[in-house]
Amino acid sequence: MLFSEQLRKAVDPIWEASFHHPFVKELGEGTLDLRCFRYYVLQDSYYLTHFAKVQALGGAMADDLQTTASMAHHAQNTYEAELRLHETFMKELGITEEEKASFVPAPTAYAYTSHMYRAAFAGHFGDVLAAILPCYWLYYEIGERLKHCKPNHPIYAKWIEAYGSDWFKQLVEQQIARLNDIAETVSAKDLERMKQHFWISSQYEYLFWDMAYKLEHWPIEEEDVYAKERA
């Protein structure tokens, strides 16, 4: 069994929970509250900004220039395809520049990106791939599951179209193959650490849907702290 197959089998219960999360199901049905999707777009834009940086870090850690160039291409795709799609969503949802400027990442978004940085700075290129791959792979599988859905809201249809596309499938398959190649060259201890990164990221993917669906916020808001200081 390939290393990627071992990972996918280990996280199947977590991914099944993502497939059946009300955020994902209602997005496919077109019944998701736009407030949740609006919140998701802001948080995911923050996440993707850091995801692209971690992709670039992975490229810098690669052993050969071809892989470095490929990871740079992946980071560029995150910006040109996914982040630009989110910019389109922001315009359609009426998200203002003031809202962007005052944005604060939610606890889950902050923790997930911190996890990816930790994997990168405490490990090697294989750790980076293991930490970022669930985002690629899970979104592709969700896109495949939803691609025949016909939500009555154009924003949801665009989201499904992006992640159910052939270009995204190619990106996912490249990273899976790359992870399997690395798995053949590292130690058993490295593999266990990479498995843990993959498992944790899969958990965070589920938590990200939950965060958006529940409009997660910090338990003590910034304005509450300032109010206490003024008092």
Side-chain angles (χ1 to χ4, degrees), residues 2-30:
L2 293 171
F3 183 59
S4 62
E5 293 171 341
Q6 296 174 39
L7 296 180
R8 180 63 184 85
K9 183 177 179 180
V11 300
D12 190 61
I14 307 170
W15 286 26
E16 282 294 325
S18 277
F19 298 148
H20 294 96
H21 193 282
F23 184 99
V24 175
K25 291 183 68 177
E26 292 174 19
L27 189 152
E29 295 164 356

Side-chain angles (χ1 to χ4, degrees), residues 39-123:
Y39 175 99
Y40 163 84
V41 167
L42 281 165
Q43 297 293 335
D44 201 43
S45 294
Y46 165 83
Y47 170 85
L48 288 171
T49 298
H50 292 283
F51 186 82
K53 291 179 180 180
V54 174
Q55 288 172 313
L57 282 171
M61 298 164 75
D63 290 334
D64 61 277
L65 191 57
Q66 184 178 0
T67 302
T68 297
S70 177
M71 291 301 293
H73 176 67
H74 278 251
Q76 186 176 5
N77 267 315
T78 298
Y79 169 70
E80 291 184 348
E82 296 188 82
L83 277 170
R84 285 189 179 176
L85 179 65
H86 280 38
E87 288 174 6
T88 300
F89 290 156
M90 286 185 187
K91 290 177 182 177
E92 293 180 11
L93 292 166
I95 295 173
T96 65
E97 291 301 320
E98 290 75 16
E99 285 179 279
K100 294 179 191 178
S102 62
F103 169 80
V104 175
T108 295
Y110 186 83
Y112 191 0
T113 53
S114 298
H115 158 66
M116 291 191 298
Y117 280 122
R118 185 176 188 273
F121 284 112

Side-chain angles (χ1 to χ4, degrees), residues 143-159:
E144 282 292 292
R145 284 172 176 249
L146 298 184
K147 69 180 182 182
H148 299 299
C149 294
K150 303 295 181 184
N152 58 9
H153 201 296
I155 283 183
Y156 299 154
K158 286 179 186 176
W159 189 95

Side-chain angles (χ1 to χ4, degrees), residues 107-183:
T108 295
Y110 186 83
Y112 191 0
T113 53
S114 298
H115 158 66
M116 291 191 298
Y117 280 122
R118 185 176 188 273
F121 284 112
H124 52 60
F125 183 41
D127 293 285
V128 173
L129 284 179
I132 66 175
L133 185 55
C135 179
Y136 281 94
W137 196 349
L138 177 66
Y139 268 61
Y140 166 67
E141 289 201 16
I142 289 175
E144 282 292 292
R145 284 172 176 249
L146 298 184
K147 69 180 182 182
H148 299 299
C149 294
K150 303 295 181 184
N152 58 9
H153 201 296
I155 283 183
Y156 299 154
K158 286 179 186 176
W159 189 95
I160 293 169
E161 182 182 359
Y163 295 110
S165 61
D166 288 338
W167 75 266
F168 192 70
K169 178 182 180 180
Q170 291 173 4
L171 293 178
V172 175
E173 290 176 343
Q174 284 176 12
Q175 297 295 52
I176 291 173
R178 187 167 284 134
L179 184 70
N180 286 327
D181 288 343
I182 291 173

